[in-house]
Protein backbone atom coordinates (compact mmCIF):
# COMPACT_ATOMS: atom_id res chain seq x y z
CA UNK A 1 0.00 0.00 0.00
CA UNK A 2 1.35 3.42 -0.93
CA UNK A 3 1.70 6.32 1.52
CA UNK A 4 -1.17 8.30 -0.03
CA UNK A 5 -3.50 5.35 0.34
CA UNK A 6 -2.34 4.63 3.90
CA UNK A 7 -3.03 8.22 4.92
CA UNK A 8 -6.49 8.12 3.35
CA UNK A 9 -7.45 4.74 4.80
CA UNK A 10 -6.12 5.73 8.23
CA UNK A 11 -8.25 8.87 8.39
CA UNK A 12 -11.73 8.62 9.95
CA UNK A 13 -14.62 10.09 7.95
CA UNK A 14 -15.33 12.70 10.61
CA UNK A 15 -11.74 13.99 10.55
CA UNK A 16 -11.36 17.45 8.96
CA UNK A 17 -8.50 16.14 6.75
CA UNK A 18 -10.59 13.28 5.34
CA UNK A 19 -11.69 15.13 2.18
CA UNK A 20 -8.18 16.43 1.46
CA UNK A 21 -6.63 12.98 1.83
CA UNK A 22 -9.37 11.36 -0.22
CA UNK A 23 -8.84 13.95 -2.97
CA UNK A 24 -5.09 13.29 -3.03
CA UNK A 25 -5.73 9.55 -3.11
CA UNK A 26 -8.14 9.91 -6.04
CA UNK A 27 -5.68 12.15 -7.90
CA UNK A 28 -2.98 9.53 -7.27
CA UNK A 29 -5.23 6.82 -8.72
CA UNK A 30 -5.97 8.94 -11.79
CA UNK A 31 -2.28 9.68 -12.36
CA UNK A 32 -1.62 5.92 -12.28
CA UNK A 33 -4.40 5.17 -14.76
CA UNK A 34 -6.76 3.59 -12.23
CA UNK A 35 -9.78 5.50 -13.47
CA UNK A 36 -12.49 3.04 -12.44
CA UNK A 37 -11.16 2.80 -8.89
CA UNK A 38 -10.85 6.60 -8.75
CA UNK A 39 -14.45 6.99 -9.92
CA UNK A 40 -15.58 4.57 -7.19
CA UNK A 41 -13.86 6.60 -4.45
CA UNK A 42 -14.98 9.88 -6.02
CA UNK A 43 -18.56 9.15 -4.98
CA UNK A 44 -17.48 9.46 -1.33
CA UNK A 45 -15.67 12.71 -2.04
CA UNK A 46 -18.67 14.16 -3.86
CA UNK A 47 -20.90 13.32 -0.90
CA UNK A 48 -18.47 15.02 1.48
CA UNK A 49 -17.61 18.13 -0.57
CA UNK A 50 -19.94 18.48 -3.58
CA UNK A 51 -19.29 22.17 -4.26
CA UNK A 52 -15.55 22.28 -3.62
CA UNK A 53 -13.52 23.52 -6.61
CA UNK A 54 -11.16 20.51 -6.68
CA UNK A 55 -14.09 18.10 -6.39
CA UNK A 56 -15.87 19.67 -9.36
CA UNK A 57 -12.78 19.63 -11.56
CA UNK A 58 -11.88 16.09 -10.58
CA UNK A 59 -15.45 14.96 -11.25
CA UNK A 60 -15.35 16.61 -14.66
CA UNK A 61 -12.11 14.86 -15.61
CA UNK A 62 -13.34 11.48 -14.34
CA UNK A 63 -16.60 11.87 -16.25
CA UNK A 64 -14.67 12.60 -19.44
CA UNK A 65 -12.34 9.66 -18.86
CA UNK A 66 -15.24 7.24 -18.30
CA UNK A 67 -17.42 8.63 -21.12
CA UNK A 68 -20.11 9.55 -18.60
CA UNK A 69 -22.12 12.12 -20.58
CA UNK A 70 -24.54 12.81 -17.73
CA UNK A 71 -21.59 13.41 -15.40
CA UNK A 72 -19.99 15.76 -17.91
CA UNK A 73 -23.21 17.79 -18.12
CA UNK A 74 -23.55 17.89 -14.34
CA UNK A 75 -19.94 18.95 -13.70
CA UNK A 76 -19.98 21.43 -16.59
CA UNK A 77 -22.92 23.16 -14.92
CA UNK A 78 -21.28 22.99 -11.48
CA UNK A 79 -18.07 24.40 -12.91
CA UNK A 80 -19.93 27.17 -14.72
CA UNK A 81 -21.82 28.11 -11.54
CA UNK A 82 -18.55 28.32 -9.60
CA UNK A 83 -17.61 31.21 -11.95
CA UNK A 84 -14.14 30.14 -13.13
CA UNK A 85 -12.32 31.88 -15.95
CA UNK A 86 -13.81 31.23 -19.37
CA UNK A 87 -10.52 29.72 -20.47
CA UNK A 88 -10.87 26.90 -17.95
CA UNK A 89 -14.43 26.09 -19.01
CA UNK A 90 -13.40 25.96 -22.66
CA UNK A 91 -10.44 23.73 -21.83
CA UNK A 92 -12.63 21.21 -20.02
CA UNK A 93 -15.11 21.30 -22.89
CA UNK A 94 -12.29 20.81 -25.39
CA UNK A 95 -11.15 17.73 -23.49
CA UNK A 96 -14.68 16.37 -23.62
CA UNK A 97 -15.24 17.16 -27.30
CA UNK A 98 -11.89 15.61 -28.13
CA UNK A 99 -12.84 12.42 -26.27
CA UNK A 100 -16.03 12.06 -28.35
CA UNK A 101 -14.48 13.25 -31.65
CA UNK A 102 -16.73 16.29 -31.99
CA UNK A 103 -14.68 18.14 -34.63
CA UNK A 104 -16.74 21.32 -34.90
CA UNK A 105 -16.87 22.00 -31.16
CA UNK A 106 -13.15 21.18 -30.87
CA UNK A 107 -12.48 23.84 -33.50
CA UNK A 108 -14.63 26.37 -31.66
CA UNK A 109 -12.95 25.71 -28.31
CA UNK A 110 -9.46 25.85 -29.82
CA UNK A 111 -10.30 29.09 -31.62
CA UNK A 112 -11.37 30.68 -28.36
CA UNK A 113 -8.42 29.32 -26.35
CA UNK A 114 -5.82 30.33 -28.92
CA UNK A 115 -7.14 33.89 -28.84
CA UNK A 116 -6.03 34.17 -25.19
CA UNK A 117 -2.80 33.66 -23.26
CA UNK A 118 -3.07 30.08 -21.98
CA UNK A 119 -1.30 27.63 -19.70
CA UNK A 120 1.01 25.02 -21.20
CA UNK A 121 -1.39 22.28 -20.07
CA UNK A 122 -4.12 23.87 -22.17
CA UNK A 123 -1.76 24.28 -25.13
CA UNK A 124 -0.85 20.57 -24.94
CA UNK A 125 -4.54 19.68 -25.22
CA UNK A 126 -4.93 21.99 -28.23
CA UNK A 127 -1.90 20.44 -29.92
CA UNK A 128 -3.34 16.99 -29.21
CA UNK A 129 -6.65 18.05 -30.78
CA UNK A 130 -4.94 19.54 -33.82
CA UNK A 131 -2.72 16.55 -34.51
CA UNK A 132 -5.17 13.77 -33.69
CA UNK A 133 -8.04 15.34 -35.66
CA UNK A 134 -5.77 16.48 -38.53
CA UNK A 135 -7.62 19.76 -38.40
CA UNK A 136 -6.60 22.55 -40.77
CA UNK A 137 -8.48 25.34 -38.97
CA UNK A 138 -6.83 24.54 -35.65
CA UNK A 139 -3.46 24.14 -37.40
CA UNK A 140 -3.54 27.66 -38.84
CA UNK A 141 -4.51 29.19 -35.52
CA UNK A 142 -1.92 27.11 -33.67
CA UNK A 143 0.86 28.27 -36.02
CA UNK A 144 -0.15 31.91 -35.47
CA UNK A 145 -0.30 31.42 -31.69
CA UNK A 146 3.09 29.70 -31.53
CA UNK A 147 4.65 32.43 -33.67
CA UNK A 148 3.12 35.18 -31.51
CA UNK A 149 4.32 33.50 -28.30
CA UNK A 150 7.74 32.73 -29.84
CA UNK A 151 7.30 29.00 -29.27
CA UNK A 152 7.99 25.96 -31.43
CA UNK A 153 6.87 22.35 -31.57
CA UNK A 154 9.17 19.35 -31.55
CA UNK A 155 10.41 18.06 -34.92
CA UNK A 156 7.73 15.37 -34.96
CA UNK A 157 5.00 17.91 -34.13
CA UNK A 158 6.26 20.28 -36.82
CA UNK A 159 6.29 17.50 -39.43
CA UNK A 160 2.73 16.50 -38.57
CA UNK A 161 1.56 20.12 -38.65
CA UNK A 162 3.22 20.67 -42.04
CA UNK A 163 1.56 17.50 -43.32
CA UNK A 164 -1.88 18.83 -42.32
CA UNK A 165 -1.22 22.18 -43.99
CA UNK A 166 0.27 20.59 -47.12
CA UNK A 167 -2.71 18.22 -47.52
CA UNK A 168 -5.08 21.18 -47.42
CA UNK A 169 -2.96 23.09 -49.93
CA UNK A 170 -2.91 20.11 -52.32
CA UNK A 171 -6.66 19.62 -51.95
CA UNK A 172 -7.25 23.28 -52.79
CA UNK A 173 -4.99 23.03 -55.84
CA UNK A 174 -6.86 19.97 -57.07
CA UNK A 175 -10.21 21.66 -56.44
CA UNK A 176 -9.17 24.76 -58.41
CA UNK A 177 -7.60 22.73 -61.23
CA UNK A 178 -10.55 20.34 -61.61
CA UNK A 179 -13.31 22.63 -60.51
Amino acid sequence: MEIVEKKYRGTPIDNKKYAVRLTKFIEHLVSNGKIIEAKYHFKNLFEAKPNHARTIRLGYLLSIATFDNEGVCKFDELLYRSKPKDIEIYWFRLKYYLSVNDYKNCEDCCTFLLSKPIKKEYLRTIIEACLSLNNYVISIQLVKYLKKEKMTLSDIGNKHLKKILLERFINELVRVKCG
Side-chain angles (χ1 to χ4, degrees):
M1 207 181 314
E2 301 206 23
I3 295 171
V4 176
E5 185 175 0
K6 282 182 184 179
K7 283 184 176 180
Y8 156 66
R9 296 208 185 273
T11 307
I13 292 175
D14 57 346
N15 188 313
K16 66 179 181 178
K17 292 187 179 185
Y18 175 77
V20 172
R21 290 183 178 165
L22 177 55
T23 302
K24 287 181 181 177
F25 177 57
I26 294 168
E27 289 170 346
H28 173 74
L29 290 172
V30 169
S31 69
N32 287 313
K34 298 179 179 180
I35 304 298
I36 302 299
E37 189 177 350
K39 183 107 176 183
Y40 171 80
H41 289 286
F42 179 77
K43 291 175 185 170
N44 295 334
L45 178 62
F46 191 69
E47 286 176 15
K49 299 282 185 179
N51 293 319
H52 192 275
R54 280 176 76 181
T55 302
I56 294 168
R57 285 155 180 80
L58 194 53
Y60 208 140
L61 291 174
L62 285 170
S63 294
I64 291 168
T66 58
F67 301 101
D68 176 7
N69 291 330
E70 289 177 24
V72 168
C73 290
K74 177 171 83 173
F75 289 108
D76 187 67
E77 177 147 342
L78 287 171
L79 182 65
Y80 181 78
R81 278 197 260 141
S82 70
K83 296 188 180 12
K85 294 180 180 173
D86 287 344
I87 292 172
E88 186 177 22
I89 292 173
Y90 275 85
W91 177 72
F92 274 103
R93 289 178 181 170
L94 174 61
K95 288 189 75 67
Y96 171 69
Y97 295 138
L98 187 57
S99 75
V100 295
N101 291 321
D102 185 337
Y103 296 95
K104 179 63 179 133
N105 283 320
C106 279
E107 271 183 24
D108 294 343
C109 288
C110 288
T111 299
F112 175 81
L113 290 168
L114 289 170
S115 70
K116 312 281 184 197
I118 55 174
K119 297 179 186 178
K120 287 188 180 188
E121 179 183 12
Y122 298 174
L123 184 59
R124 278 192 292 273
T125 306
I126 292 169
I127 292 168
E128 178 186 348
C130 176
L131 300 182
S132 66
L133 300 175
N134 284 322
N135 189 290
Y136 175 76
V137 173
I138 300 171
S139 299
I140 291 295
Q141 294 168 8
L142 180 59
V143 167
K144 289 176 183 176
Y145 181 85
L146 293 172
K147 186 176 180 182
K148 183 177 86 178
E149 296 295 321
K150 297 180 175 105
M151 301 170 84
T152 59
L153 294 176
S154 67
D155 288 340
I156 295 171
N158 272 331
K159 285 180 185 176
H160 199 79
L161 201 58
K162 285 178 184 177
K163 181 181 167 232
I164 294 168
L165 297 171
L166 191 57
E167 280 178 16
R168 177 67 178 254
F169 178 68
I170 290 170
N171 289 340
E172 286 298 312
L173 279 176
V174 168
R175 188 182 64 78
V176 168
K177 251 329 198 183
C178 298

